[in-house]
Amino acid sequence: LLPRLADLHLQALDALLYQMFKEGRFHSDPHAGNIVITPTGEVVFIDLGSAGQVEDARIPELRKFFGGFISQSGELVRDSVRAFVPDLDDAQLARIMDTIQTSGLDNRDKFQRILVLISEGGRAIDEGFEKFLKALATGAYLGRELPPERVAPSIFAYTNS
């Protein structure tokens, strides 16, 4: 990415992480068409028609899921998914972990596949968690071409607070 474009991607990713892990209210479709750059260079999300929200008390579970996804910790993923979808059985959770650990899939595909696995059989999903997974799937493209050392501080700041 061009240096300025990379900075904008990082700013958008940072804003999305802040929304998710600090506010519990977030844009659930953060693609380039829903981002505007102001004359002062700030990133602003538009088209909030598909915004997601979780109760403040559930934000730690979002952090736990994302931290488990990043670290590939089956225990963190299992506990956090069960907080939002309590009727998942161990076999379904194992398939989710297999998806997380699958190389050859980018993170967007992994988040989308996790959402499909969770909703199999018409299972009800907490609406906030569903939109969180959709936001992660779309938002994965904000950081896809950034070097990990540029993305890691934002991820660490919001998932470990």
Side-chain angles (χ1 to χ4, degrees):
L1 288 178
L2 299 171
R4 178 70 181 129
L5 186 56
D7 290 343
L8 293 172
H9 276 238
L10 187 59
Q11 186 181 353
L13 180 63
D14 190 68
L16 180 63
L17 293 171
Y18 178 85
Q19 290 173 2
M20 289 179 184
F21 300 123
K22 292 291 188 182
E23 297 295 322
R25 292 178 301 280
F26 48 88
H27 198 296
S28 61
D29 193 18
H31 61 77
N34 285 337
I35 297 173
V36 172
I37 311 304
T38 68
T40 60
E42 292 180 284
V43 171
V44 176
F45 292 108
I46 60 170
D47 187 9
L48 298 172
S50 93
Q53 181 171 350
V54 296
E55 299 168 16
D56 289 349
R58 300 195 88 182
I59 293 172
E61 295 301 330
L62 298 181
R63 289 186 191 125
K64 188 186 292 185
F65 173 84
F66 193 66
F69 179 89
I70 296 296
S71 67
Q72 297 190 353
S73 167
E75 183 178 333
L76 288 176
V77 170
R78 180 192 67 227
D79 292 348
S80 58
V81 169
R82 280 210 170 121
F84 291 102
V85 191
D87 62 338
L88 280 180
D89 62 35
D90 289 338
Q92 292 163 311
L93 286 165
R95 290 172 58 207
I96 290 169
M97 281 311 300
D98 287 345
T99 296
I100 290 171
Q101 295 169 347
T102 300
S103 60
L105 285 180
D106 66 21
N107 286 341
R108 178 175 193 228
D109 292 336
K110 289 179 182 184
F111 290 125
Q112 288 175 330
R113 190 173 289 181
I114 290 167
L115 185 56
V116 168
L117 290 170
I118 289 173
S119 61
E120 280 181 339
R123 179 177 296 103
I125 305 171
D126 176 274
E127 182 181 2
F129 189 60
E130 178 182 11
K131 289 192 175 201
F132 171 74
L133 290 171
K134 288 179 179 180
L136 288 174
T138 307
Y141 276 113
L142 294 173
R144 75 184 183 278
E145 296 198 27
L146 295 171
E149 62 272 11
R150 296 240 11 232
V151 176
S154 289
I155 291 173
F156 183 78
Y158 295 120
T159 58
N160 292 302
S161 54

